[in-house]
Amino acid sequence: MSEAIKLFIEDARAVSIEEAAKIMRLTFKRTGVEHPQPCPHCFGTDTFSFNTKKEKWNCRAGGIGGNDAIGMAAHCEGLDIKSREGLLEACSIVLDRDIPDEGERESNEDRAARKKRLEERRLQNQADAATRADSQADFREKERAKARGIIKAATVLRSVAAPPLGRSYLQHRCNSFPDASWLRVGANVSYWHGQDERGGPLELYSGPAIVAPFIGRGLVEIGCHITWVDLHQPPKFRPLLFGLTKKGLACGLVDWVFGDAPPLAIDLADGLYEQLPTKKMRGSKKGGLIPIAGNPDARRWVGGEGVENGTAFGVWEGWRGDSFYFAAGDLGNLSGPAEPSSRFAHPMLKKPDAKGVERPVMVAGPVPKRDQDADDAMWVADHVDELVLLADGDSERVMTAAAMARARARHARPRRIIPIVWPRAGYDFSRMAVETGE
Ligand SMILES: [Zn+2]
């Protein structure tokens, strides 16, 4: 490999995710560091995302991700970076520069100057990478500390001292609540969204919320999961919060403030405002799980994506004494990433691509990704010999089925049985519990 090419690759390695995303004209959200969008290669909605603070990108549809701009460019453009051509092409994209011509001859002087530059660049890259790793670790540790602070400030849900709202919420959504001390309730938990004039985080709302820890192996608290509650908002009993979108801002609309009337339905449909999620997490989630009831020492574990479904199922089977009930937080953390080659076309669903041509929606496959990290999916204790997985019946069926099959394969061990339980079609366990309880 010529020096010119080596320098070219080193230069490309120094390009940050943010710089590359700008060159590639990827979409940036108006605020924040996480920028979800359809994958330029796999399509879908919000399948692809990059994070400018953590220097990471990820494609849920392709089951792939990484922490460098070259890899991101290669995935978006369908290049194979294991091949020399693919790698150079990806470098050329992130640098917005042509691949240097290897045939050109150069003077000794030029050569010496370039070697020096190459060496400097290499050292700078090493230093930058070390700084980035430090600041990432710092950021993660700060977030974990904040999460532990939120958990500590909340009161155990079942205790009489806790705001009764938490119990009422689970009563409404799941027909009862667990007699366990994992779940907590905060009387006034801040909901951060957007930025104030000085660029600091903005508290859009503050109110009662169920606070659950995310625990890793060894029961270490690695993060927390927050569900804001508003008993005046059936059927989900969660507050209605809205945010101005980039499109809305471009149209000259003003931010939505809590206390304002909800945006007009037509503005929501046009994507000028968006309804904001009323569940959030702080700290780390990956590899952890949310305990709901029982003790992780149990040999039978029962859980799915959300706290509500796990609770509803626990209520339904009478909180078995031999079982531990949990939630994974989301489907990705329940099932882990897919092996890219197991990706398949959805048998029915189609979506127009960038050129308006209808193409089948691609679904992450049932085979777990090879060589994945231990924390790519929730942990399951080695002693568990029955793992009951609860499927979400109101999510897209094919995608959910593939993910549940992947979860079963991922968590499979000799002598462990893993039944997958489906609610009635079109339902989740929470809604079934509510209708049974009425
Ligand atoms: Zn993709």
Side-chain angles (χ1 to χ4, degrees):
M1 200 185 288
S2 79
E3 294 293 318
I5 292 288
K6 275 190 204 162
L7 180 58
F8 181 68
I9 297 172
E10 284 293 324
D11 278 348
R13 286 211 176 104
V15 177
S16 69
I17 295 276
E18 182 169 1
E19 287 162 345
K22 280 179 187 156
I23 288 171
M24 292 163 65
R25 296 180 193 286
L26 295 176
T27 310
F28 282 76
K29 280 188 68 172
R30 194 161 61 89
T31 55
V33 292
E34 186 77 37
H35 305 279
Q37 56 205 279
C39 176
H41 186 60
C42 316
F43 312 111
T45 344
D46 289 355
T47 42
F48 176 85
S49 179
F50 61 89
N51 188 306
T52 49
K53 180 140 192 175
K54 297 183 191 164
E55 279 293 314
K56 277 191 190 310
W57 63 276
N58 179 56
C59 171
R60 284 187 289 125
I64 188 168
N67 47 14
D68 71 311
I70 302 176
M72 180 172 80
H75 178 69
C76 293
E77 299 297 322
L79 297 164
D80 175 15
I81 43 170
K82 288 190 201 95
S83 79
R84 182 188 156 89
E85 295 74 36
L87 174 65
L88 292 180
E89 202 54 55
C91 291
S92 158
I93 291 168
V94 301
L95 287 169
D96 201 13
R97 208 159 83 196
D98 289 339
I99 302 167
D101 188 349
E102 292 208 64
E104 276 174 35
R105 304 197 57 181
E106 56 179 356
S107 69
N108 286 344
E109 235 169 57
D110 283 355
R111 187 184 160 81
R114 216 193 36 234
K115 275 202 157 178
K116 188 164 166 257
R117 207 180 133 216
L118 175 62
E119 189 50 31
E120 281 168 6
R121 177 52 109 180
R122 192 177 286 135
L123 291 173
Q124 188 59 46
N125 281 2
Q126 273 175 6
D128 288 354
T131 318
R132 271 206 295 269
D134 277 357
S135 75
Q136 273 172 40
D138 261 15
F139 176 72
R140 194 175 54 229
E141 216 18 76
K142 274 189 197 136
E143 273 295 301
R144 286 185 173 190
K146 278 182 198 153
R148 284 192 287 264
I150 296 169
I151 296 168
K152 235 176 136 184
T155 319
V156 171
L157 178 130
R158 68 161 176 185
S159 76
V160 284
L165 234 96
R167 297 189 291 271
S168 303
Y169 171 78
L170 291 179
Q171 188 76 50
H172 281 313
R173 293 293 313 274
C174 312
N175 212 15
S176 188
F177 55 88
D179 184 24
S181 46
W182 297 111
L183 301 181
R184 292 168 169 255
V185 187
N188 265 305
V189 182
S190 298
Y191 187 102
W192 304 100
H193 181 77
Q195 288 176 336
D196 61 20
E197 293 93 33
R198 289 201 228 127
L202 189 70
E203 187 186 71
L204 177 73
Y205 169 76
S206 166
I210 294 182
V211 176
F214 260 102
I215 56 169
R217 274 183 199 276
L219 312 190
V220 199
E221 282 175 0
I222 58 171
C224 77
H225 183 273
I226 310 168
T227 307
W228 279 271
V229 170
D230 182 349
L231 296 183
H232 302 297
Q233 301 290 353
K236 291 216 152 183
F237 301 100
R238 299 220 293 269
L240 296 177
L241 301 175
F242 300 92
L244 183 64
T245 62
K246 215 157 88 175
K247 192 174 165 192
L249 182 75
C251 293
L253 295 173
V254 292
D255 277 315
W256 183 87
V257 180
F258 185 72
D260 286 356
L264 297 174
I266 188 166
D267 287 351
L268 283 168
D270 284 348
L272 302 174
Y273 290 95
E274 60 185 342
Q275 189 171 349
L276 300 174
T278 40
K279 292 185 176 191
K280 281 197 180 195
M281 53 142 319
R282 298 294 297 263
S284 312
K285 160 188 70 184
K286 259 182 83 182
L289 57 83
I290 302 167
I292 297 173
N295 190 314
D297 287 344
R299 302 181 76 84
R300 181 175 182 264
W301 282 23
V302 182
E305 266 184 76
V307 171
E308 291 82 357
N309 272 342
T311 303
F313 196 84
V315 170
W316 174 76
E317 62 171 20
W319 299 114
R320 278 174 53 167
D322 65 348
S323 301
F324 169 62
Y325 298 86
F326 69 89
D330 63 36
L331 195 56
N333 194 42
L334 183 73
S335 58
E339 178 62 24
S341 61
S342 74
R343 216 161 62 100
F344 63 95
H346 193 288
M348 283 93 73
L349 294 183
K350 285 190 170 30
K351 251 199 136 151
D353 67 9
K355 291 180 185 125
V357 183
E358 290 279 321
R359 295 191 188 278
V361 170
M362 297 305 290
V363 181
V367 182
K369 190 180 132 200
R370 254 170 295 172
D371 306 323
Q372 51 182 300
D373 293 336
D375 68 355
D376 276 349
M378 58 167 273
W379 63 284
V380 174
D382 294 335
H383 63 257
V384 173
D385 50 28
E386 184 179 355
L387 176 64
V388 181
L389 296 178
L390 308 177
D392 231 346
D394 58 356
S395 306
E396 204 286 308
R397 190 91 176 178
V398 174
M399 188 268 295
T400 309
M404 296 312 284
R406 192 162 75 240
R408 171 145 63 187
R410 155 119 197 174
H411 299 298
R413 297 288 181 280
R415 288 179 300 283
R416 176 184 290 171
I417 57 164
I418 308 184
I420 296 170
V421 189
W422 287 83
R424 199 189 312 160
Y427 277 68
D428 56 16
F429 290 107
S430 164
R431 195 171 145 210
M432 279 173 71
V434 171
E435 292 191 7
T436 320
E438 268 167 3

